[in-house]
Every structure is written in structure tokens, then in C-alpha cells.
């Protein structure tokens, strides 16, 4: 038997975007219900990006969700570029007016937000499968979902789909309204987690003729590293010893630096793609996060774009709730897309700049090296990279 409940904002997806939106709305006196397909344990251990832009850090702090981040997160003031066996540091504060980034895993952001929502009495329904969004172009759209074996209906004033690339949110927009553009890259990332202290104080982005490598971290005790591999490669082809040897080769520089090795606890291969669907609104249904856009992880933008989307949307919904003004709601898609496309371009640039394309010519390789040398030698070029990395503020 179907049962019904009502709320002001129905949110599909309890990732960082959906949870933060619910939290921001709660602080403004706007009620919401969050529906999440997976159980809480799965959501809180789902591994994703771990670099927070300055604006993301500021939003979490201002909303009261940043206390543990400030205790345990690792503030970074730059990144290191490696190529030609040399190292070049990009200093963020000096190039961006004092801005920086924070290393704090998405799993930890989600844990913090789940705890806050439940502590505040928020409604987060785990293992609630959204089945359809109906009446998006009416004043009271509904979400039909299945929870605890029963089919139920959530009646809303607004619906926000934060349910990722494979969710029902984007598919609920009329096909003749939606424009989708995408790019698939001819390589993937082999990512590992290792129980070993990082070999660096800041992230290392390495370009090598054998392929790209990235040295990141999850904590002072856990390293996160990546290798460029073929799209059809398998983790079965990569023993621990082979991974460490290849990382050693790609990170090699002239000078005194050693890559620390340790037990590898996780391996996975991630395809690289860019994707944007627009508009981000149909009637009272809105798209946010991976439901609307995907970036290759090279630029560390995916989580930050999702946070920017829902921050903008929370402001627009609050303005309508408190002032009856729908101007910001009407402008949401256009405003968000300006930032999305800036991030897409930066992510594309970082990806094509740092990876070795197996099909490219010698001319293309020399252009890439020329660009890298320009970044390392020009303050203006370094400032552009830094500005985009810490989060470019569009108008």
C-alpha cells in the first residue's frame, strides 16, 4: 500500500551535495527530505575526491560543518609539477591573494554531514530507491520511491536531484529539452590507497613519457597515488611491486627524493571523461553535482562543483522562501553553468597537459613540454593555474 509524506524540498541522493543542501536549508528554516538508494555504511565509506577548494572550505565552516575538517584536514598552499626529472612548485597564497586548498576526504565530509542532519532531526531515508519524479512542471512535484519494502510518495514544492550520473534525476527531464555534451579520454587512472606516510608535503603532478602519475594523501598515515593506464587495463595486471616500481619511474627527479613504499590496501581503475547536461532545471526539478556534470579528476573539481551547485541553489531557495523572489531560482542554471564550464575547461587542460596520449605525434609532445615549461617559468601562467585550482570565482 502506498503512503505519502510532504516536504518543501525533496532531495534525491545523500552524497555531499544532497546532505549539504539539506543542512543549509535547515539553517534557514526550510524543511527537506533526503532519499538515498544505499545504506548509511555504504554512503560513509564511498571513496571519492579529497581536495576542497577555498570556497568549499569556507562554506563548510560557515555552516557549522567544518569543525572536524579543521582539526584533521591538511591545508595545502601549493602543488608540485614534475617533468624532465625536475620539480617546480606552484605557490597558491602568493599567486591568489592568500587562498589555498584543504585535503579532507569526501568520506569524512559525508560522515560529518550525516551526523549533523541526524543530530538536527533531519529526515535522511537510507535504502530509499527513487523510482520517478512526476509533475516537475507543476506547483507540487512528487517523488515516487520504495522504502522498507513499500512504495511511497513524497510531495514537494521543489525536487533537487543530487543522485549522480546514473540516477533518475537527469532522466526525468524531457529529452527534447536536454542537451548533453561529453568527451572520453584515451586513458584511465589506476588508483591505490597505501598504509604508508606520504612521501611529499603537497600533491605531486608528474608528467612522464610513460604516462601521468599523481601523489596525494588521505591523512598523515595514508597515501593516495594514481598511475595513467590504458582504458582496457585491469588491476589484475598490476602487482604491488609493479605499481611501486612504475611510480618510482614516473616521479623520478634529479636530487634527493625517495618514494616511500608500504602495504597497498585498495586498487581500482577509473575511466576519464568530461560530461555536461543542460539546462539544470525543468519546472521545479533541479540538477546538481554528478547528475549534471562530470570532470576528469585531474583538476580536483568534481566535489567542489557539486558543493558550489547546492550552495547557489540553497541561496536561491532561501531568497524565495524569505522574500518571495524567484529571480535567483530562475537564474540558477545559467549561473551554475558559468562555473561548471570554467571547471570543465581547467580539468580538460590539466588532463591533456599532463597525460601521455598514445596516439599523439612528436609535435604534440613537444608542445606539451613547452606548455609545462611556460607554467614553471612564468608567474602569470602559474597564477592562472593557481587561481583555477583553488577555485575561480565566476560572476
Amino acid at each position: 500500500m502506498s503512503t505519502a509524506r510532504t516536504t518543501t524540498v525533496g532531495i534525491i541522493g545523500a552524497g555531499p551535495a544532497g546532505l549539504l543542501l539539506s543542512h543549509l536549508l535547515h539553517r534557514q528554516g526550510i524543511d527537506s527530505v533526503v532519499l538515498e538508494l544505499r545504506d548509511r555504511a555504504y554512503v560513509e565509506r564511498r571513496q571519492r575526491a579529497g581536495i576542497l577548494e577555498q570556497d568549499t572550505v569556507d562554506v563548510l565552516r560557515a555552516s557549522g560543518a567544518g569543525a572536524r575538517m579543521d582539526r584533521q584536514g591538511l591545508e595545502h598552499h601549493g602543488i608540485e609539477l614534475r617533468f624532465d626529472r625536475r620539480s617546480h612548485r606552484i605557490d597558491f597564497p602568493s599567486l591568489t591573494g592568500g587562498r589555498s586548498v584543504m585535503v579532507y576526504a569526501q568520506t569524512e565530509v559525508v560522515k560529518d554531514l550525516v551526523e549533523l542532519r541526524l543530530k538536527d532531526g533531519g529526515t535522511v531515508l537510507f535504502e530509499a530507491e527513487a523510482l520517478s519524479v512526476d509533475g516537475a512542471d507543476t506547483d507540487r512535484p512528487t517523488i515516487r520511491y520504495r522504502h522498507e519494502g513499500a512504495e511511497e510518495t513524497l510531495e514537494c514544492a521543489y525536487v533537487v536531484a543530487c543522485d549522480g550520473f546514473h540516477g533518475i534525476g537527469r532522466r526525468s527531464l524531457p529529452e527534447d529539452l536536454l542537451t548533453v555534451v561529453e568527451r572520453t579520454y584515451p586513458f584511465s587512472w589506476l588508483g591505490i590507497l597505501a598504509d604508508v606516510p606520504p612521501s611529499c608535503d603537497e600533491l605531486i603532478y608528474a608528467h612522464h613519457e610513460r604516462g601521468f602519475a599523481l601523489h596525494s594523501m588521505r591523512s598523515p598515515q595514508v597515501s593516495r597515488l594514481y598511475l595513467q593506464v590504458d582504458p582496457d587495463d585491469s588491476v589484475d595486471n598490476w602487482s604491488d611491486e609493479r605499481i611501486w616500481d612504475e611510480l618510482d619511474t614516473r616521479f623520478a627527479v634529479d636530487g634527493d627524493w625517495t618514494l616511500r613504499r608500504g602495504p597497498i590496501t585498495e586498487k581500482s581503475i577509473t575511466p576519464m571523461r568530461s560530461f555536461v547536461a543542460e539546462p539544470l532545471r525543468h519546472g521545479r526539478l533541479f540538477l546538481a553535482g554528478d547528475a549534471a556534470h562530470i570532470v576528469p579528476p585531474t583538476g580536483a573539481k568534481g566535489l567542489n562543483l557539486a558543493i558550489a551547485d547546492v550552495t547557489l541553489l540553497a541561496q536561491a531557495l532561501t531568497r524565495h522562501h524569505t522574500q518571495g523572489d524567484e529571480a535567483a531560482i530562475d537564474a540558477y542554471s545559467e549561473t551554475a553553468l558559468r562555473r561548471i564550464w570554467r571547471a570543465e575547461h581547467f580539468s580538460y587542460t590539466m588532463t591533456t597537459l599532463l597525460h601521455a596520449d598514445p596516439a599523439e605525434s612528436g609535435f604534440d609532445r613537444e608542445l606539451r613540454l613547452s606548455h609545462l615549461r611556460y607554467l614553471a617559468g612564468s608567474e602569470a601562467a602559474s597564477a592562472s593555474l593557481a587561481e583555477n585550482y583553488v577555485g575561480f570565482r565566476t560572476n
Side-chain angles (χ1 to χ4, degrees), residues 9 41 52 67-68 89 105 170 196 199 216 226 230 250 252-253 266 322 326-327 353:
V9 182
L52 309 183
R68 194 162 70 94
R89 183 172 183 270
R170 187 179 64 257
V196 59
S199 306
S216 183
Y226 300 91
D230 291 337
R250 298 190 194 184
V253 288
E266 180 182 306
T322 58
E326 294 192 2
L353 174 66

Side-chain angles (χ1 to χ4, degrees), residues 277-388:
E278 52 181 285
L280 308 185
R281 178 192 182 187
H282 170 58
R284 291 178 174 243
L285 168 63
F286 301 87
L287 305 181
D290 286 359
H293 45 76
I294 291 177
V295 291
T298 328
K301 294 299 170 203
L303 170 61
N304 295 291
L305 274 182
I307 296 298
D309 288 347
V310 297
T311 301
L312 184 65
L313 194 50
Q315 293 168 348
L317 292 170
T318 297
R319 182 172 170 182
H320 177 245
H321 181 73
T322 58
Q323 303 175 32
D325 185 351
E326 294 192 2
I329 290 177
D330 292 338
Y332 165 69
S333 182
E334 180 181 353
T335 304
L337 282 165
R338 284 199 295 270
R339 180 174 184 136
I340 290 163
W341 277 111
R342 174 86 304 273
E344 289 282 354
H345 181 257
F346 177 67
S347 300
Y348 164 83
T349 300
M350 289 285 283
T351 301
T352 54
L353 174 66
L354 290 164
H355 290 73
D357 187 338
E360 71 184 357
S361 66
F363 181 82
D364 294 326
R365 286 192 292 272
E366 291 303 323
L367 284 180
R368 176 183 293 106
L369 287 171
S370 175
H371 191 174
L372 286 165
R373 291 167 187 144
Y374 176 56
L375 284 173
S378 164
E379 182 174 330
S382 294
S384 177
L385 189 157
E387 180 182 49
N388 281 277

Side-chain angles (χ1 to χ4, degrees), residues 44 48 93 95 102 122 137 163 192 242 279 298 317 359:
E44 291 186 340
R48 292 292 188 274
L95 296 167
M102 181 80 76
D137 55 353
D163 53 345
I192 67 163
R242 183 188 178 196
T298 328
L317 292 170

Side-chain angles (χ1 to χ4, degrees), residues 15 55 69 74 108 113 123 156 163 166 205-206 263 366:
D55 284 351
M69 173 193 69
L74 307 173
E108 305 310 308
L113 290 169
T123 303
C156 322
D163 53 345
H166 297 289
Y205 287 78
E366 291 303 323

Side-chain angles (χ1 to χ4, degrees), residues 49-108:
I51 306 297
L52 309 183
E53 292 178 358
Q54 183 70 66
D55 284 351
T56 299
V57 170
D58 293 345
V59 166
L60 292 173
R61 284 174 177 160
S63 70
R68 194 162 70 94
M69 173 193 69
D70 282 331
R71 292 195 305 270
Q72 299 181 11
L74 307 173
E75 187 172 9
H76 281 200
H77 297 284
I79 59 172
E80 183 180 336
L81 297 179
R82 288 191 180 182
F83 60 95
D84 284 345
R85 298 186 64 88
R86 289 178 291 175
S87 174
H88 310 270
R89 183 172 183 270
I90 307 295
D91 184 84
F92 293 158
S94 67
L95 296 167
T96 64
R99 291 158 64 79
S100 60
V101 297
M102 181 80 76
V103 175
Y104 189 62
Q106 178 172 313
T107 51
E108 305 310 308

Side-chain angles (χ1 to χ4, degrees), residues 18 66 69 77 92 105 109 120 128 148 217 219 236 263 267 290 360 381:
M69 173 193 69
H77 297 284
F92 293 158
V109 175
D120 292 338
E148 296 181 345
M217 62 281 295
S219 73
D236 295 336
K267 301 177 187 177
D290 286 359
E360 71 184 357

